[in-house]
C-alpha cells in the first residue's frame, strides 16, 4: 500500500481509506462475521484510515466500529462526521460538541483523529445547507471544532465539500480546516480540472486547487458514483449527491466510458479507483464496499497504480462530447 501526506497534518495516510458508509454498507447491512472479515482484510491490506459518520445507518456504522476495532486489536486513524439542524442553530459550538459526544459513545473512544462537518455549504441556508458565515463566523462551526481540538477530543477539523463551489472554496481558503471530502470521479472530475463546454454535470471547479494552495487534505468521495460506475446491479441505495445529473444519466456516461477504453485496465471499480489515484493532489480515496471481494478488488487496484496516459486521454475526449452526446 502506498501512502500520501494528509495535507498540513503530516500524517501518512494509505491511498485507500475504508469507507464505512451506508451506500456500500458492509458495516451497516452485513452480519457480524462479515464485518469482522471486512476490517481484517482492510487492515491486512495496509489500509490505515477508516471513515464513518453518525448518519451512516443511524449510528450503526459507528456502533459496529465501537466493538470491531478493539476486538481486532486495530488502531487505524478514524474520522467521523456530524450534521447540524439548520433550523435550530442557536448555539452551534454546543451542538457540535453534543454530536461528537454521541459519536464517541457509539465508537467507545475518548477522541477521534478527524471530525468533519457533514452539512453542505452554500450562499443560502436551508435543508442541509449552511452558509459560510455559519461555518466561519463568530460562534460558528469552526469555533466549535477548535474548542473540541483544544480539549483533546479531536485532532483535526474537516468539511464535506458539497454545495456551492464558490462557498466551499471560501471556507477552504480560510485556512481553518485540515481536510475536505471532495466529490471526484471519472464521470465528474470537475473539482480537479476545468471541464469543456459540452460536458454536463454540477461544476465543482476550483475545490481541489483551493485545497492544494492551502495545504488542505483531499479525501476523494463517491469515486464509484454510489456504485453506478462499479456495476450494473442496483441496491436501491444509489443516492445522488450532485445536481444536474441522475442515475440514468450516470449509467449512460458509464457505458460510454467502458465502451471507449475497453478492457485490460481492471474491473470497472478498479478503473474508477485508478482514475482517482491518477490525481497527485488527492490525498486518499474513500471506498465503500458492499461485499468482501470489493475490498480485495480495491487493494489490487492500488497495486496497479494510476491509469496510463492513453486511457486518461480517451476520457478527455469523452468529456469534450459529453460522453458521446454531442
Amino acid at each position: 500500500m502506498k501512502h500520501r501526506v494528509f495535507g498540513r497534518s503530516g500524517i501518512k495516510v494509505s491511498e485507500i481509506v475504508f469507507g464505512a458508509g451506508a451506500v456500500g454498507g458492509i458495516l451497516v447491512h452485513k452480519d457480524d462475521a462479515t464485518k469482522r472479515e471486512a476490517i481484517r482484510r482492510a487492515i491486512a491490506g495496509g489500509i490505515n484510515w477508516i471513515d464513518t459518520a453518525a448518519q451512516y445507518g443511524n449510528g450503526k456504522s459507528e456502533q459496529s466500529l465501537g466493538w470491531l476495532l478493539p476486538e481486532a486489536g486495530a488502531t487505524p486513524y478514524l474520522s467521523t462526521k456530524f450534521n447540524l439542524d439548520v433550523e435550530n442553530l442557536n448555539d452551534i459550538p454546543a451542538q457540535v460538541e453534543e454530536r461528537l459526544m454521541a459519536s464517541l459513545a457509539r465508537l467507545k473512544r475518548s477522541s477521534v483523529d478527524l471530525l468533519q462537518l457533514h452539512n453542505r455549504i452554500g450562499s443560502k441556508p436551508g435543508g442541509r445547507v449552511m452558509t459560510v458565515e455559519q461555518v466561519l463566523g463568530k460562534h460558528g462551526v469552526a469555533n466549535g471544532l477548535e474548542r473540541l481540538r483544544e480539549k483533546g477530543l479531536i485532532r483535526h477539523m474537516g468539511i464535506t465539500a458539497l454545495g456551492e463551489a464558490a462557498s466551499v472554496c471560501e471556507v477552504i481558503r480560510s485556512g481553518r480546516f485540515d481536510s475536505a471530502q471532495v466529490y471526484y470521479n471519472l464521470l465528474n472530475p470537475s473539482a480537479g480540472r476545468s471541464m469543456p463546454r459540452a460536458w454536463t454535470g454540477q461544476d465543482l471547479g476550483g475545490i481541489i486547487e483551493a485545497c492544494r494552495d492551502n495545504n488542505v487534505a483531499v479525501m476523494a468521495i463517491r469515486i464509484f458514483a454510489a456504485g453506478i460506475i462499479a456495476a450494473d446491479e442496483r441496491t436501491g441505495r444509489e443516492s445522488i449527491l450532485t445536481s444536474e445529473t441522475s442515475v440514468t444519466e450516470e449509467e449512460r456516461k458509464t457505458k460510454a466510458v467502458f465502451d471507449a477504453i475497453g478492457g485490460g485496465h481492471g474491473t470497472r471499480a478498479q478503473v474508477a479507483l485508478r482514475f482517482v489515484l491518477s490525481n497527485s493532489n488527492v490525498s486518499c480515496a474513500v471506498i465503500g464496499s458492499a461485499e468482501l471481494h470489493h475490498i480485495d478488488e480495491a487493494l489490487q487496484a492500488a497495486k496497479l497504480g494510476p491509469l496510463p496516459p492513453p486511457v486518461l486521454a480517451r476520457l478527455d475526449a469523452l468529456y469534450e462530447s459529453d460522453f458521446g452526446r454531442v
Side-chain angles (χ1 to χ4, degrees):
M1 176 65 64
K2 297 185 180 74
H3 295 78
R4 301 187 183 192
V5 178
F6 194 73
R8 65 171 68 95
S9 75
I11 291 172
K12 297 292 183 66
V13 62
S14 51
E15 288 187 322
I16 297 175
V17 164
F18 183 98
V23 175
I26 200 163
L27 295 193
V28 175
H29 305 293
K30 295 297 186 178
D31 60 81
D32 288 353
T34 303
K35 293 175 183 177
R36 286 190 184 94
E37 179 61 13
I39 294 297
R40 189 201 68 77
R41 291 192 192 189
I43 299 300
I47 292 175
N48 71 353
W49 195 298
I50 295 177
D51 180 69
T52 186
Q55 179 183 342
Y56 298 158
N58 293 319
K60 288 182 180 179
S61 175
E62 290 181 329
Q63 289 170 349
S64 293
L65 289 167
W67 63 266
L68 282 166
L69 293 179
E71 183 180 281
T75 57
Y77 296 111
L78 183 63
S79 53
T80 192
K81 298 179 282 292
F82 64 93
N83 279 298
L84 293 180
D85 179 2
V86 178
E87 304 303 321
N88 179 26
L89 294 176
N90 295 327
D91 189 340
I92 292 175
Q95 289 185 46
V96 173
E97 183 163 359
E98 178 185 336
R99 301 294 194 277
L100 173 62
M101 298 312 293
S103 287
L104 291 177
R106 288 187 289 267
L107 290 165
K108 298 182 179 178
R109 290 173 64 105
S110 59
S111 66
V112 290
D113 297 290
L114 171 67
L115 182 62
Q116 304 157 98
L117 175 67
H118 215 176
N119 294 73
R120 298 164 186 253
I121 302 171
S123 56
K124 296 180 180 179
R128 288 185 59 191
V129 178
M130 300 186 71
T131 65
V132 173
E133 175 63 22
Q134 289 169 332
V135 176
L136 298 179
K138 187 177 181 180
H139 307 306
V141 172
N143 281 349
L145 289 170
E146 287 162 355
R147 179 192 298 177
L148 297 176
R149 187 172 58 192
E150 290 168 2
K151 291 181 177 182
L153 297 172
I154 67 173
R155 293 172 183 81
H156 304 288
M157 302 162 40
I159 63 168
T160 299
L162 288 170
E164 298 173 19
S167 297
V168 169
C169 287
E170 187 174 349
V171 170
I172 291 169
R173 287 193 294 266
S174 73
R176 298 179 72 181
F177 289 89
D178 303 303
S179 68
Q181 290 209 347
V182 180
Y183 189 99
Y184 184 76
N185 60 46
L186 56 74
L187 304 182
N188 184 346
S190 63
R193 52 160 291 171
S194 60
M195 302 304 292
R197 186 182 300 272
W199 176 84
T200 55
Q202 182 179 354
D203 191 348
L204 300 169
I207 292 177
I208 290 181
E209 180 181 7
C211 288
R212 182 198 66 205
D213 292 347
N214 292 276
N215 206 10
V216 171
V218 174
M219 302 179 75
I221 61 170
R222 290 302 179 99
I223 67 170
F224 304 132
I228 294 170
I229 297 173
D232 290 327
E233 297 78 18
R234 296 289 162 258
T235 65
R237 302 192 293 272
E238 292 82 13
S239 59
I240 300 294
L241 294 184
T242 56
S243 61
E244 301 176 53
T245 191
S246 64
V247 170
T248 300
E249 185 67 356
E250 305 268 272
E251 290 174 336
R252 177 188 74 82
K253 292 178 178 180
T254 296
K255 183 178 186 303
V257 165
F258 291 101
D259 284 349
I261 69 173
H265 311 293
T267 66
R268 284 165 50 172
Q270 289 173 329
V271 169
L273 177 52
R274 294 181 70 192
F275 171 81
V276 171
L277 295 180
S278 299
N279 189 335
S280 61
N281 291 317
V282 169
S283 306
C284 53
V286 182
I287 64 159
S289 303
E291 305 293 341
L292 290 170
H293 71 85
H294 294 167
I295 300 169
D296 300 332
E297 279 187 47
L299 294 171
Q300 182 59 35
K303 290 181 181 178
L304 293 171
L307 288 173
V311 175
L312 296 175
R314 286 179 214 163
L315 290 172
D316 287 341
L318 283 176
Y319 303 144
E320 292 283 352
S321 67
D322 195 33
F323 301 86
R325 184 178 61 85
V326 294

